[in-house]
Every structure is written in C-alpha cells, then in structure tokens.
Amino acid sequence: RLLGDYAGCLVTDGYEGYAEVVRRNGMTHAGCWAHARRKFVDAQKVQPKGKTGKADWVINQMGKLYAVEKQAKALDPDARHALREQKSQPLIAQLR
C-alpha cells in the first residue's frame, strides 16, 4: 500500500511480484514490520529459558515503532511525517 507521506514508497509483505512495480516506477520498496517481527519472535522462542537476547531487544524496539504509529494515526500527513522523523528515525537507526 502507498503511504500518504511516503509518496514513492511501496510497503509490502515482501512478495517478489511487487519488485517489478517498484522498478518500473522508480519507487522505494519497503518491507512490512509485522513480517520482519515474526522472524524475531521465532528466534525468541528458541532462546534458552530465562535468557534475553537480541531478539527481545529488536521486538522491544519494534513495539516502540508501533507506539509511534498509533500516535501518528490521528495526525495530518505533515504532522505524521514530523512525528516519524522525531521519534521513529532514531529507533530505526538503532535497529540498523
């Protein structure tokens, strides 16, 4: 789906069929956080009992991103973009 304040960006579940649409239209192809999160949940499940690891940290960071999106939902596109720049970008930078 196209995000209003991310014109030129296509967010998908990773289905390869979208690659052609992205390529033809000079868009940025972004993955869905929910699909990425699932892999970390799987990793979390195989951690030794009582131990925390990188998967826990990533899931926590993603939870913070979801909280920003919850705040952003009611905002107009410009305010939503500003909120994401202020709060989401630092979280994403840490994830990298």
Side-chain angles (χ1 to χ4, degrees):
R1 68 190 168 112
L2 288 173
L3 302 177
D5 57 340
Y6 286 95
C9 180
L10 182 65
V11 178
T12 72
D13 61 3
Y15 172 63
E16 190 57 33
Y18 293 113
E20 181 65 17
V21 173
V22 169
R23 189 180 56 70
R24 259 196 253 143
N25 293 288
M27 302 171 85
T28 299
H29 193 186
C32 169
W33 284 108
H35 280 81
R37 185 181 181 280
R38 288 180 193 158
K39 300 295 184 186
F40 291 99
V41 169
D42 291 344
Q44 190 179 44
K45 289 176 185 174
V46 297
Q47 288 177 169
K49 292 276 187 225
K51 298 280 185 179
T52 58
K54 291 179 183 177
D56 297 291
W57 182 83
V58 171
I59 291 168
N60 183 272
Q61 291 295 101
M62 287 180 171
K64 292 176 185 178
L65 286 169
Y66 289 155
V68 173
E69 288 305 304
K70 190 173 184 177
Q71 278 183 285
K73 205 172 204 173
L75 302 175
D76 65 69
D78 290 335
R80 186 169 45 246
H81 182 78
L83 179 69
R84 287 175 173 157
E85 293 229 334
Q86 177 192 10
K87 294 191 175 183
S88 294
Q89 277 190 346
L91 294 169
I92 293 168
Q94 289 176 348
L95 279 168
R96 286 193 175 125

